[in-house]
Amino acid sequence: MPYFTGLSNLSLCPHSVAPVCCSSRYGLALLSSYGFFVVYSLRVNLSVAMVDMLNNTHQSSANHSGSVCPAHANPPRPKHNHTASVYDWDSETQGWILGSFFYGYILTQIPGGYLAGRFGPKWLMGFGILGTVIFTLLTPVAADLGASYLIAVRVLEGIGEGVTFPAMYTMWAAWAPPLERSRLLTISYIGAQLGTVISLPLSGEICFYLDWTYVFYVFGAVGLVWFILWALLVFDSPNTHPRISERERLYITTSLKNELSTSAGHIPWRAIVTSVPLWAIVVAHFSYNWTFYTLLTLLPTYMSDILGFSIQQNGMLSALPYMGCAVFAVLSGQIADYLRETCQYRTVAVRKSFSIVGMIGPAVFLVAAGYIGCNYTLAVTFLTISSSLGGVSASGFNINHLDIAPSYAGILLGITNTFATIPGMVGPVIARALTINNTIEEWQTVFYIAAAINLFGASFYTVFGRGTVQPWAVHTSYSHGD
């Protein structure tokens, strides 16, 4: 068994191990990763474009002389093709524009989990992202019409993207063998980090050489290509996939037969909403996302207004934290599954340990970043370490839905992501309200709030988190090791 040494307990089944290479489940992981790349590219490109969309007539766009720290030397921007409109939006309006996406995003989390279980996750996710792509292509038109139109378009984008994570969790409930969950899901969701890592610097380059409108056209086109591939190559379950090998199909279905509920039509809502392990995930998810979304939407603004980086430098440096996050997420997935299957560590111990590292670590370095003044190297280093350590939580509470209730993973993810979307709605608004004068002291307050919320979430999850399938989630009680 060269791939999964911890599956010896299934060795009596001739189909217990299916190769990784060219497998349908890992093909799904890669294509869903591409999908989340699109999702996050369309979500974060506005953060960089916003820097270029503002009418900063009081300062030179080349040297950012209005920043707190001394500006950096930059090559002059090409003058041709910079014909896009600029707007006089104050700090409060910027906060509402950046946070508006999440007002739509929160609406379709729980419905997304329900609809994915009822009608299948493939087309729900496909059309959700396609809708977001279409509204992204309309963003320049909406901005020209006014801030309220741009806010409306961003809300509609959020509605489309809100179904993606619940739909994908429902998909993985049918596709991911229990002891491969950390690996498959981290491959799948690393696309979100890569979308951030690539779209931030690329958006900066597009703004530098062309103008901000092309940011939305380029990433919209990338999204259209993904939809075509998804429609042609993905299927809801191993049993409906026409090209999967029989060995792999039996391996997946056999490994899951004791974990999935036999009453697919019945959803135990009362048991779900009163489940303490679920609320532990809710609190951890909310807390982690407060820091994540605050940085995701406002890091380019911090790089520009405080550290004095140009639009070209801004995108690249803003991407570094998420590059580290992507690397740590993949590594944590490999280590988590190794600890569970080879070292026989209990699932709950692995999930809690990874959550503690992935939440307390970022809090410490985020606060530290606010106290290094204009030391550019340390500022970027601390922010990068903070987000990188956050990637460890990908194998902590983030996957725990599939541990406690694989049959209802999409619905559980919808519930937790509903609460976890609130920081995206209010975090940027509060942060911009606290940083009206753009002083380092104001940003220290923003960082302190995020760190305190992270510490609380890590503590709550450590006390109340669980690692076994809950009794209400399955008729034949079974777990793969609490």
Side-chain angles (χ1 to χ4, degrees), residues 208-281:
F208 186 81
Y209 288 106
L210 299 171
D211 62 51
W212 63 263
T213 61
Y214 286 90
V215 169
F216 302 101
Y217 298 145
V218 169
F219 288 107
V222 172
L224 290 175
V225 172
W226 171 84
F227 177 76
I228 295 171
L229 294 175
W230 183 262
L232 295 175
L233 301 177
V234 168
F235 297 87
D236 284 328
S237 69
N239 288 329
T240 59
H241 197 304
R243 294 182 296 275
I244 189 173
S245 70
E246 184 66 9
R247 180 182 183 186
E248 184 181 12
R249 186 186 67 79
L250 287 175
Y251 163 57
I252 295 172
T253 55
T254 300
S255 69
L256 291 172
K257 67 179 181 180
N258 290 320
E259 290 210 347
L260 297 177
S261 173
T262 57
S263 56
H266 171 68
I267 300 175
W269 287 108
R270 180 185 293 274
I272 288 175
V273 300
T274 57
S275 173
V276 174
L278 173 61
W279 285 103
I281 302 174

Side-chain angles (χ1 to χ4, degrees), residues 426-455:
V426 301
V429 176
I430 292 175
R432 290 308 282 152
L434 292 172
T435 55
I436 295 175
N437 299 313
N438 271 321
T439 64
I440 292 179
E441 290 74 22
E442 289 176 339
W443 280 95
Q444 287 173 353
T445 302
V446 172
F447 293 158
Y448 264 122
I449 291 173
I453 293 173
N454 251 22
L455 290 174

